[in-house]
Amino acid sequence: MEGSLGQFERFKIWVLLILSVFSQFGVSFYLPGSYPHKYGIGDTLSVKVNSLTSIETEMPFSYYSLPFCKPSEGVKDSAENLGELLMGDRIENSPYRFRMYTNESDFFLCRSDPLSGDSFKILKERIDEMYQVNVILDNLPAIRYTKKEGYFLRWTGYPVGIKVQDVYYVFNHLRFTVLVHKYEEANVARVMGTGDAAEVIPTIRNAGTDTPGYMVVGFEVVPCSIMHNADSVKDKKMYEKYPSPIKCDPTTVSMPIKEGQPVVFTYEVTFEESDIKWPSRWDAYLKMEGSKVHWFSILNSLMVITFLAGIVLVIFLRTVRRDLTRYEELDKEAQAQMNEELSGWKLVVGDVFRAPTSPGLLCVMVGDGVQILCMAVVTILFAALGFMSPASRGTLITGMLFFYMVLGVLAGYVAVRMWRTIGCGDHKGWVPVAFKAACFFPGIAFTILTTLNFLLWGSHSTGAIPFSLFVILILLWFCISVPLTLVGGYLGAKAPHIEYPVRTNQIPREVPAQKYPSWLLVLGAGTLPFGTLFIELFFIMSSIWMGRVYYVFGFLFIVLILLVVVCAEVSLVLTYMHLCVEDWRWWWKSFFASGSVAIYIFLYSINYLVFDLKSLSGPVSATLYLGYSFLMVFAIMLSTGTVGFLSSFWFVHYLFSSVKLD
């Protein structure tokens, strides 16, 4: 017993050491309570600034594109990952400096140059478009509280200024409040969030380490517009005291901006000790609101699934099984006679596996759909487990890109194996199929992003992808994603193709005239998958376009699984209905039966633009919104269509493998 305990203790030590080694190489794990930063009293705290953002334009701009104060050491970019750059984040240093647990007021920051005509015009535009200034301390965005109708509202950042009766006022004084928590015993147990690890690595106390330290657990800002005397600070240096006391009243504004006149910026900071623990410091940003709505969404999805599952059960147990049982009980003479009297799906036995039109395109779309779907599942699962927290900016997008590239193996494998199955085992032509699978969706995404990027470049927005990043993305595409997809294609070419259970006639059977157009049924089928996710879709859209933090990835993972089940059931039912009316052209119809959910999501996106983003200003902003929405919808169509097609292929293969007809 003691030996096993000792082994367990050694195992825990090894786990902690491995995690620490990974952290040295830049592999980021987000575990609740990891990496707290201890500051001693009087230590310098540096505030950083991010891009200016607005829900009215959806185009971020650099903080220093406005006449704000610049740090004396010059503007420097902070280390950014790929996801941050793609999201338009530009984190830079700022002139704001605090000293830990030292309250300071009436700090003079700088006196800007007299506003030129261009600066005055841009400042007015940013105020009109409701741009927010985003400041960050110890990786925490500044939060602002406002009271409306007795309720407290939370906002990240603060507005550049405000327009009152055709006069523009700028917020030139900031009142910061930093919430701190006394640093607890610094052992590996607390750092890694494992409460019993103190037994593994005992804490060693040194004589000079009893000085109190603090951690930043909250960062609040109150913006004020103060009429400063620009002449009284001509000779003042940064961080000196303003000549007179400053009273910050957020309910009044008194600093109008005028062309040819400078703006004076000041700030104050107060430290407050808080009971908030370091691992819980993001709770203020991630308050769970509307959890009942998320559960309602899941229950709604379960009802749709139950309804469809009932239909599928009826098809399998009552219809298919009954027919097959009757058929198997007959002797050979009766079977031959029955073959002449066959009706419904049994009539298309010689055509059901006839190759569809554009088989290469179908294989490529199915391969890309598998890749996108698996990327979504893995990314959301990691996010639900806490490895892609909002605290780690850009990790979600970076993770999606990484998983998409690695899963290129699956895309190549599925596309080529499906191609060989349709071609009855023909090995020829698998390389072009694999290469098309590697380039189809990324090529469309690249075209859309390049077009939108030209619009952002023309607007001088930080949302524009830098040319160097474009080169990096192309290198990742052709040096990692394409080779991995070709490797998958090679494995798919070597794997045995799926044998059809029945032979295909040389002459195709004529499809009887239908009472209603089959495409109408296919388009209508998308309403059921849309019904399972439209509630969750609102929260996702609000996160992307309204600047809200989306973090309920557990709910999203459940909704994704339910969506996959509904798509499979819908496509399966529709395929059976088409076969029953002797329509053997099920390949593309099964794909678009579930893939048509993308049409309804795009219509919902337009509805969201008209009614929820009605303040979105300018054709450029609307074009950006529609462009990104189309890219998202196209990816959803490929992934949901793939689910429908693969489930229908399995169903048709199973159905006709049970029937032996000459």
Side-chain angles (χ1 to χ4, degrees):
M1 184 72 180
E2 288 180 5
S4 61
L5 281 173
Q7 288 179 355
F8 180 65
E9 295 297 324
R10 285 195 293 272
F11 171 74
K12 289 199 288 185
I13 292 174
W14 274 109
V15 169
L16 293 170
L17 288 174
I18 290 167
L19 288 174
S20 65
V21 168
F22 270 120
S23 68
Q24 293 299 316
F25 286 98
V27 179
S28 61
F29 292 91
Y30 178 78
L31 298 173
S34 60
Y35 311 134
H37 197 293
K38 173 186 174 182
Y39 297 96
I41 294 175
D43 285 357
T44 301
L45 300 176
S46 299
V47 177
K48 296 179 180 179
V49 289
N50 203 344
S51 301
L52 307 172
T53 53
S54 169
I55 60 171
E56 292 214 349
T57 65
E58 302 299 345
M59 288 191 292
F61 289 97
S62 170
Y63 174 82
Y64 292 108
S65 64
L66 294 183
F68 291 136
C69 303
K70 295 183 179 179
S72 54
E73 68 272 18
V75 178
K76 297 175 184 175
D77 289 334
S78 292
E80 294 169 330
N81 58 44
L82 197 61
E84 281 182 338
L85 290 168
L86 290 173
M87 291 295 290
D89 288 340
R90 297 294 183 272
I91 300 176
E92 299 162 312
N93 59 333
S94 82
Y96 296 104
R97 296 285 186 275
F98 307 153
R99 287 186 295 166
M100 174 54 79
Y101 224 117
T102 307
N103 295 341
E104 295 167 312
S105 60
D106 307 336
F107 258 179
F108 167 72
L109 202 59
C110 79
R111 174 181 181 267
S112 73
D113 295 329
L115 295 178
S116 64
D118 288 340
S119 297
F120 180 64
K121 181 185 174 185
I122 291 174
L123 198 52
K124 287 199 302 180
E125 284 177 1
R126 299 293 179 263
I127 293 172
D128 277 332
E129 292 164 348
M130 297 176 63
Y131 268 85
Q132 303 284 313
V133 180
N134 300 292
V135 290
I136 302 166
L137 177 66
D138 197 42
N139 204 32
L140 280 180
I143 200 167
R144 175 172 57 96
Y145 292 95
T146 57
K147 195 172 184 181
K148 186 178 182 181
E149 298 175 359
Y151 292 96
F152 277 103
L153 302 175
R154 295 189 309 277
W155 310 85
T156 51
Y158 65 91
V160 172
I162 192 170
K163 182 182 179 182
V164 181
Q165 297 177 351
D166 295 328
V167 179
Y168 292 88
Y169 296 88
V170 68
F171 290 117
N172 61 334
H173 179 83
L174 301 178
R175 187 174 73 205
F176 293 106
T177 303
V178 181
L179 304 180
V180 295
H181 186 80
K182 189 168 279 189
Y183 193 79
E184 297 174 357
E185 187 54 53
N187 54 43
V188 179
R190 301 293 168 83
V191 172
M192 299 309 298
T194 53
D196 59 347
E199 301 170 9
V200 184
I201 302 177
T203 305
I204 301 172
R205 289 184 175 272
N206 294 325
T209 59
D210 290 333
T211 55
Y214 292 91
M215 300 172 289
V216 176
V217 295
F219 186 37
E220 299 170 10
V221 62
V222 176
C224 297
S225 179
I226 307 289
M227 174 59 83
H228 288 314
N229 184 350
D231 293 330
S232 65
V233 293
K234 272 185 179 180
D235 301 324
K236 288 281 182 184
K237 293 182 180 179
M238 191 177 284
Y239 308 126
E240 289 185 358
K241 284 276 189 180
Y242 187 74
S244 57
I246 301 171
K247 186 179 180 183
C248 179
D249 183 3
T251 60
T252 61
V253 288
S254 57
M255 182 61 207
I257 56 171
K258 295 176 183 176
E259 188 175 348
Q261 291 193 4
V263 179
V264 176
F265 292 91
T266 55
Y267 73 97
E268 61 184 278
V269 59
T270 306
F271 286 82
E272 293 179 5
E273 196 157 344
S274 170
D275 292 332
I276 299 171
K277 302 277 187 179
W278 196 88
S280 307
R281 65 181 192 155
W282 274 87
D283 289 359
Y285 305 85
L286 308 179
K287 293 265 184 204
M288 182 172 242
E289 295 169 353
S291 58
K292 290 182 180 177
V293 179
H294 291 284
W295 284 116
F296 173 75
S297 169
I298 290 170
L299 289 174
N300 173 59
S301 305
L302 286 172
M303 288 177 65
V304 174
I305 284 176
T306 307
F307 169 70
L308 287 171
I311 297 176
V312 173
L313 208 62
V314 167
I315 289 173
F316 267 107
L317 295 183
R318 292 194 56 189
T319 311
V320 178
R321 277 293 178 193
R322 184 188 62 197
D323 288 353
L324 292 175
T325 305
R326 267 185 61 205
Y327 185 80
E328 287 167 1
E329 287 174 353
L330 297 173
D331 57 23
K332 289 186 178 180
E333 268 184 51
Q335 283 184 15
Q337 185 181 354
M338 189 179 177
N339 289 346
E340 297 174 4
E341 301 171 357
L342 287 176
S343 62
W345 58 269
K346 301 176 222 54
L347 281 172
V348 297
V349 68
D351 297 273
V352 71
F353 289 108
R354 188 175 302 282
T357 54
S358 306
L361 179 61
L362 178 63
C363 294
V364 166
M365 291 175 74
V366 169
D368 280 2
V370 168
Q371 185 180 9
I372 293 168
L373 180 66
C374 293
M375 175 205 71
V377 170
V378 175
T379 304
I380 295 171
L381 181 61
F382 269 79
L385 293 173
F387 286 94
M388 295 178 183
S389 162
S392 306
R393 289 176 189 80
T395 50
L396 192 65
I397 300 294
T398 308
M400 286 173 66
L401 280 172
F402 172 76
F403 292 132
Y404 182 83
M405 287 188 298
V406 171
L407 291 168
V409 174
L410 269 182
Y413 178 83
V414 172
V416 170
R417 194 168 186 204
M418 187 55 63
W419 166 259
R420 290 190 59 228
T421 297
I422 293 173
C424 298
D426 187 10
H427 286 81
K428 294 178 182 177
W430 72 265
V431 175
V433 171
F435 187 75
K436 287 173 187 173
C439 298
F440 180 68
F441 178 72
I444 291 172
F446 187 78
T447 304
I448 293 172
L449 290 175
T450 304
T451 306
L452 298 179
N453 216 50
F454 278 120
L455 295 176
L456 291 167
W457 268 334
S459 303
H460 304 288
S461 168
T462 58
I465 302 173
F467 180 75
S468 58
L469 185 56
F470 252 112
V471 174
I472 291 171
L473 290 174
I474 292 171
L475 288 174
L476 289 174
W477 179 10
F478 283 101
C479 296
I480 298 177
S481 183
V482 171
L484 285 175
T485 310
L486 290 173
V487 168
Y490 174 77
L491 296 174
K494 290 294 182 185
H497 70 282
I498 301 168
E499 295 278 355
Y500 290 150
V502 292
R503 290 197 303 269
T504 302
N505 296 336
Q506 288 188 354
I507 301 172
R509 179 187 180 85
E510 186 179 350
V511 178
Q514 308 296 327
K515 294 179 182 178
Y516 48 84
S518 59
W519 60 264
L520 200 62
L521 200 59
V522 169
L523 291 180
T527 55
L528 288 168
F530 179 73
T532 66
L533 61 81
F534 80 97
I535 297 175
E536 201 65 33
L537 196 60
F538 171 79
F539 292 98
I540 296 169
M541 298 289 274
S542 299
S543 168
I544 296 171
W545 301 110
M546 302 287 281
R548 296 171 187 167
V549 178
Y550 186 89
Y551 65 98
V552 284
F553 291 104
F555 282 116
L556 185 59
F557 186 74
I558 295 171
V559 169
L560 179 63
I561 299 301
L562 297 180
L563 176 66
V564 168
V565 174
V566 171
C567 286
E569 290 179 343
V570 162
S571 185
L572 193 148
V573 170
L574 214 69
T575 299
Y576 181 74
M577 290 174 66
H578 280 113
L579 294 177
C580 283
V581 294
E582 301 173 32
D583 186 353
W584 46 267
R585 300 166 302 185
W586 61 271
W587 299 80
W588 281 106
K589 288 172 184 174
S590 65
F591 185 92
F592 286 112
S594 52
S596 61
V597 67
I599 297 171
Y600 299 97
I601 294 175
F602 191 68
L603 291 175
Y604 180 86
S605 301
I606 295 172
N607 172 78
Y608 190 85
L609 171 65
V610 173
F611 294 103
D612 292 275
L613 290 178
K614 51 193 172 187
S615 60
L616 200 68
S617 60
V620 174
S621 300
T623 305
L624 288 170
Y625 174 85
L626 292 173
Y628 288 128
S629 296
F630 178 78
L631 182 59
M632 176 185 74
V633 161
F634 187 70
I636 290 171
M637 184 203 72
L638 289 176
S639 52
T640 53
T642 295
V643 171
F645 171 78
L646 292 177
S647 62
S648 290
F649 183 84
W650 168 83
F651 169 71
V652 172
H653 192 278
Y654 169 80
L655 182 62
F656 285 91
S657 63
S658 305
V659 179
K660 305 297 180 186
L661 292 175
D662 296 327

